[in-house]
Amino acid sequence: MRKAKPKKRYLLPDPKFGDVMVTRFVNNLMERGKKSLAYQIFYGALEQVEQRLGKGGEPVNGLEVWRKALNNVMPSVEVRSRRVGGATFQVPTEVRPDRRISLGIKWMIRYARSRNEKTMTDRLAGEIISASKGEGAAVKKKDDTHRMAEANKAFSHFRF
């Protein structure tokens, strides 16, 4: 590489929970620089998760449900295109920890946006609940990615 690798930027923890991962999620959720609105949507979604899942009497921690959902969405392997000779192969590679988190966050937000509920808060809450149960579109995306890597295991000797 010609240039030096850029320095890693560190995020400030969010105001309510003091968690850097929440800030990272909200930054991905944010559109057009409206961070306070993104925080409103995220915190509202966690409250809805607590209301929907806490009907049995015992209280549910929305942040823990969100963390579980994010863990269910994060992929551990993915395929990368690699050109060898004249052919392009889909080579399965392990995902770096930082990229795992990024992919999980992006997939969860993308599939929350494509849901059919009325408000973004409802959509995000629905996606968090379904992902924490191991269902939903974001978890399906992870499973498809893993299946693709499994199918192309024969090309793993082309790793970079």
Side-chain angles (χ1 to χ4, degrees):
M1 292 193 302
R2 291 171 186 265
K3 285 180 145 184
K5 207 168 183 185
K7 288 216 165 51
K8 188 93 176 108
R9 288 197 188 105
Y10 294 102
L11 298 171
L12 295 171
D14 77 296
K16 190 172 181 180
F17 299 112
D19 192 358
V20 179
M21 192 74 85
V22 171
T23 306
R24 199 164 163 185
F25 191 88
V26 167
N27 285 348
N28 276 283
L29 184 63
M30 173 174 58
E31 285 184 347
R32 299 194 184 105
K34 309 232 174 199
K35 191 175 242 178
S36 59
L37 183 61
Y39 271 122
Q40 270 182 354
I41 290 169
F42 181 74
Y43 293 146
L46 290 190
E47 283 176 24
Q48 271 194 23
V49 167
E50 288 172 0
Q51 287 171 355
R52 287 193 207 169
L53 296 179
K55 288 182 179 173
E58 58 186 71
V60 176
N61 186 350
L63 189 66
E64 290 304 317
V65 174
W66 171 75
R67 281 202 184 108
K68 184 180 175 192
L70 198 57
N71 278 332
N72 287 348
V73 172
M74 293 192 297
S76 55
V77 286
E78 67 179 343
V79 291
R80 289 214 156 134
S81 296
R82 173 101 162 106
R83 199 171 162 92
V84 178
T88 306
F89 296 104
Q90 295 288 315
V91 180
T93 54
E94 269 190 51
V95 185
R96 295 187 324 273
D98 211 41
R99 181 165 163 75
R100 280 188 73 191
I101 296 166
S102 294
L103 285 174
I105 288 172
K106 286 173 189 169
W107 291 348
M108 192 181 279
I109 291 169
R110 182 203 299 166
Y111 291 110
R113 283 196 175 118
S114 65
R115 283 174 77 96
N116 288 337
E117 280 95 356
K118 193 155 191 165
T119 65
M120 185 57 196
T121 308
D122 295 339
R123 293 172 185 173
L124 187 58
E127 191 62 35
I128 289 170
I129 290 170
S130 61
S132 69
K133 292 177 181 172
E135 305 163 355
V139 176
K140 186 181 182 306
K141 172 76 171 168
K142 178 195 129 182
D143 292 340
D144 290 346
T145 306
H146 280 238
R147 208 171 293 117
M148 183 85 120
E150 184 68 31
N152 290 306
K153 209 186 335 184
F155 305 124
S156 59
H157 63 282
F158 288 129
R159 257 192 211 129
F160 308 33

